[in-house]
Amino acid sequence: MAVFNQKSVLDMIKEFRKNWRALCNSERTTLCGADSMLLALQLSMAENNKQHSGEFTVSLSDVLLTWKYLLHEKLNLPVENMDVTDHYEDVRKIYDDFLKNSNMLDLIDVYQKCRALTSNCENYNTISPVQLLARKIIFSYLNLLVNSKNDLAVAYILNIPDRGLGREAFTDLKHAAREKQMSIFLVATSFIRTIELGGKGYAPPPSDPLRTHVKGLSNFINFIDKLDEILGEIPNPSIAGGQILSVIKMQLIKGQNSRDPFCKAIEEVAQDLDLRIKSIINSQEGVVALSTTDISPARPKSHAINHGTAYCGRDTVKALLVLLDEEAANAPTKNKAELLYDEENTIHRHGTSILTLFRSPTQVNNSIKPLRERICMSMQEKKIKRV
């Protein structure tokens, strides 16, 4: 992926957006950049290993080996002499299903649909690791706002800032989502809506694992609701975009030391994206002005981009999509080990690794053995000691 030219990728994505009706099912389909593709592949390989060996884990070397093979295969490059891990076809199916269920396309899917891609790309050499983290978090909030099926985005931000929604909460949501065949965010939304709107008669049963996460999930869902309200109620997309970024920023730095590098990074990234959104909107308005001179304004069509909010949110979502597309077109992270790290006892200052989150915690078997069996085992141990 490091051979792609960012400008060419962006041109390709713009062509994709213009013809989205012929190329995908939803105008809100978001794109997987190189890093997200690699994370999705890692999760797919871990899921495949779990199905075949019972362990939701995968080595970094196997991921990188399969990553290289996947890129060659998807780009129709020679693969005859390349090594590949076992069960690759199963991994590929899991990968494709994951993107489909998350309403995402990877960059090569877009390339295959648009047939236009060239070489050499820019990178993030001038951006510090803490700025990259800040960008990842803010972009994940924007991604979820546009595409509610994006489980990767939920994994990044469910517990940032700390809402008491750690690995156990994510696992419970993941299991509920699989059982109901819904996205993780929509499961969480449905659960909280039922409690808030249904009254006592609709309280979750004691056996529902999500019951223990009501406070944190309510905090998360209500915060996303606040962003949705801005999206649907403010007609000016430039003001709406700025307010969305401001609300996300305040949520992330609330209670933090203003001198903290992470807080400074959040401030800088939010300011930069605000300016970028205004630039995108100005360029879009310029194109519209040139193309609609002396043309009467048309009524919104039935395929409006955001059915659930007022039509005024459409232009804001279109600007956010451009912003997300630009992020997806960026170069992949050079340090693959840092991106894919998976140490059970190692937690980044601002979250757990994606693979660790998607892996279900080990279930401890606390079942008590029958009394007769315990007595026999105790007697056996005593005999061994006497010998």
Side-chain angles (χ1 to χ4, degrees), residues 316-368:
T316 306
V317 173
K318 289 173 69 176
L320 293 180
L321 275 170
V322 173
L323 200 64
L324 294 169
D325 289 346
E326 290 178 350
E327 183 69 4
N330 274 316
T333 298
K334 288 187 176 181
N335 190 339
K336 301 296 189 293
E338 183 175 328
L339 175 70
L340 303 174
Y341 91 101
D342 176 43
E343 296 183 31
E344 290 284 349
N345 299 318
T346 302
I347 298 180
H348 277 315
R349 183 175 171 227
H350 296 286
T352 309
S353 82
I354 297 299
L355 184 62
T356 300
L357 276 178
F358 275 86
R359 179 192 295 121
S360 301
T362 302
Q363 299 295 321
V364 179
N365 186 1
N366 292 319
S367 59
I368 301 176

Side-chain angles (χ1 to χ4, degrees), residues 51-99:
Q51 293 176 6
H52 287 91
S53 64
E55 292 292 331
F56 190 89
T57 187
V58 60
S59 69
L60 176 61
S61 59
D62 283 347
V63 174
L64 298 181
L65 179 70
T66 307
W67 169 245
K68 184 177 180 180
Y69 189 92
L70 175 73
L71 295 183
H72 277 68
E73 183 191 53
K74 286 175 73 74
L75 289 168
N76 296 317
L77 298 175
V79 296
E80 289 80 8
N81 299 319
M82 295 182 63
D83 294 329
V84 63
T85 55
D86 295 336
H87 309 293
Y88 173 77
E89 294 301 324
D90 295 337
V91 170
R92 177 66 192 275
K93 184 179 186 307
I94 295 170
Y95 173 86
D96 291 339
D97 288 345
F98 181 83
L99 294 190

Side-chain angles (χ1 to χ4, degrees), residues 162-377:
D162 187 358
R163 301 182 175 96
L165 299 175
R167 186 181 172 197
E168 181 182 349
F170 187 84
T171 298
D172 291 337
L173 282 170
K174 181 188 68 175
H175 288 166
R178 287 184 177 179
E179 180 181 340
K180 298 178 181 180
Q181 296 185 328
M182 297 166 62
S183 74
I184 291 175
F185 178 72
L186 292 181
V187 163
T189 302
S190 175
F191 177 75
I192 294 301
R193 293 282 186 271
T194 301
I195 293 174
E196 292 179 343
L197 303 177
K200 293 183 179 180
Y202 290 86
S207 59
D208 191 335
L210 297 182
R211 188 186 179 102
T212 59
H213 313 302
V214 170
K215 183 178 179 180
L217 289 176
S218 179
N219 178 293
F220 180 63
I221 297 303
N222 289 333
F223 179 69
I224 302 299
D225 283 346
K226 185 184 297 185
L227 301 181
D228 264 322
E229 287 174 9
I230 297 171
L231 183 69
E233 294 179 2
I234 299 180
N236 187 314
S238 181
I239 296 175
Q243 286 204 19
I244 287 170
L245 287 169
S246 178
V247 170
I248 293 173
K249 178 188 72 175
M250 296 308 297
Q251 178 81 348
L252 294 173
I253 67 176
K254 183 179 180 180
Q256 303 291 326
N257 188 330
S258 60
R259 296 181 180 179
D260 185 286
F262 178 73
C263 291
K264 289 183 178 180
I266 291 292
E267 292 269 8
E268 292 170 0
V269 171
Q271 184 178 19
D272 175 64
L273 296 184
D274 186 24
L275 293 173
R276 183 60 197 137
I277 287 175
K278 287 177 170 57
S279 175
I280 290 169
I281 291 169
N282 288 336
S283 66
Q284 289 177 338
E285 289 175 347
V287 171
V288 171
L290 288 172
S291 61
T292 59
T293 305
D294 298 327
I295 298 177
S296 302
R299 291 177 59 83
K301 296 182 179 180
S302 60
H303 55 254
I305 193 168
N306 49 319
H307 298 281
T309 58
Y311 182 74
C312 63
R314 176 181 170 86
D315 290 335
T316 306
V317 173
K318 289 173 69 176
L320 293 180
L321 275 170
V322 173
L323 200 64
L324 294 169
D325 289 346
E326 290 178 350
E327 183 69 4
N330 274 316
T333 298
K334 288 187 176 181
N335 190 339
K336 301 296 189 293
E338 183 175 328
L339 175 70
L340 303 174
Y341 91 101
D342 176 43
E343 296 183 31
E344 290 284 349
N345 299 318
T346 302
I347 298 180
H348 277 315
R349 183 175 171 227
H350 296 286
T352 309
S353 82
I354 297 299
L355 184 62
T356 300
L357 276 178
F358 275 86
R359 179 192 295 121
S360 301
T362 302
Q363 299 295 321
V364 179
N365 186 1
N366 292 319
S367 59
I368 301 176
K369 296 179 180 179
L371 178 60
R372 182 188 297 275
E373 185 176 343
R374 282 183 284 151
I375 292 174
C376 290
M377 289 180 64

